[in-house]
Amino acid sequence: MLRVLSLIALASTLLATSAAGADLKVTSAGAVRGLIAQIIDDYSRQTGQKFEFTVGTTGQLRAIIGSGFPADLIITSAPLMGELEKTGNVTPGSRVDLGRVGIGIVVRDGASVPDVSTADGFKTALVDAPRIAIVDPSSGAVYDPHLYGVYQRLGITDVVTKKAVMQVGGKEVAEAVAAGQADIGVTFISEIIPIKGAKLAGPLPSALQGYVVYAAAIPKASTDPAAARAFIDALISPAMARRWTAAGFEAPK
């Protein structure tokens, strides 16, 4: 059974329902949700392994994992993984860096695509857009500190704030633009590519870009570390390299 859950408010339900069954419990950051969901579907068909798949922003995952939510495998940003490793709750030697992803600009498919290849072009695109979809800072998106630093650097913090169409996560940013609820959005490239009706206008200019590495690891509390290890091996197999690239990821650095 594959279940994708994205709201921290559902954590108590997850705790109540996940105690029984042999599903491999994977808790993942939203930036990798599209690709991991596809891989889980394929892996499940090939091996018969069943999954529970929980998704959230970095802030939500920090709260979920801290609450004691059981997981056999966690996939999250390198900064949060570093926090978790310091707690001693991650199996030593189980961490594997999967890839890094940058921030992109999304517009509605069919709309004119602004030139965002330079810092000035990116600034102009946001200043000219009537509505800008961004992740609500209270959700704790991992790239928020960097992105708000970019807005400050360009002198457009107030502009973005006034025009903001707040969303719970990056996927929702792309969906809002695709649905015409916003004219432009900023989120991870990997959360733009899978959304029908959304178009990647381009990555954040290199002078402004901020990459985030994503990693997988096995918690000490995993009830099936062997199955978790097998799934990690599948994620990093040479056969998966093209899928990671197509989903907007680069090799970790």
Side-chain angles (χ1 to χ4, degrees), residues 62-243:
R62 181 181 288 111
I64 288 174
I65 295 168
S67 72
F69 173 71
D72 296 303
L73 177 66
I74 51 176
I75 303 174
T76 189
S77 64
L80 179 54
M81 187 66 77
E83 290 180 28
L84 298 176
E85 287 177 311
K86 290 178 182 178
T87 68
N89 293 325
V90 174
T91 301
S94 69
R95 173 177 170 169
V96 175
D97 288 347
L98 302 171
R100 71 173 191 170
V101 63
I103 301 167
I105 299 93
V106 56
V107 296
R108 188 176 185 181
D109 194 14
S112 60
V113 179
D115 181 2
V116 293
S117 60
T118 65
D120 285 343
F122 173 66
K123 177 179 179 178
T124 298
L126 294 189
V127 169
D128 289 348
R131 299 164 299 173
I132 305 169
I134 60 173
V135 174
D136 188 332
S138 66
S139 293
V142 67
Y143 55 72
D144 262 355
H146 174 81
L147 197 52
Y148 275 88
V150 168
Y151 298 151
Q152 290 177 340
R153 175 178 168 185
L154 297 178
I156 57 173
T157 302
D158 289 343
V159 171
V160 173
T161 300
K162 289 177 182 178
K163 298 180 179 183
V165 180
M166 296 292 187
Q167 303 296 322
V168 70
K171 173 177 176 285
E172 290 76 16
V173 166
E175 289 175 337
V177 174
Q181 297 166 3
D183 305 281
I184 197 169
V186 187
T187 187
F188 277 136
I189 293 171
S190 60
E191 297 194 280
I192 298 171
I193 290 174
I195 304 304
K196 185 177 181 181
K199 183 178 180 62
L200 177 65
L204 210 61
S206 58
L208 306 177
Q209 185 60 269
Y211 291 96
V212 176
V213 172
Y214 280 83
I218 302 171
K220 285 185 177 178
S222 173
T223 59
D224 198 344
R229 180 73 252 181
F231 186 58
I232 290 177
D233 289 343
L235 291 176
I236 62 174
S237 67
M240 290 293 176
R242 286 182 295 177
R243 295 185 71 167

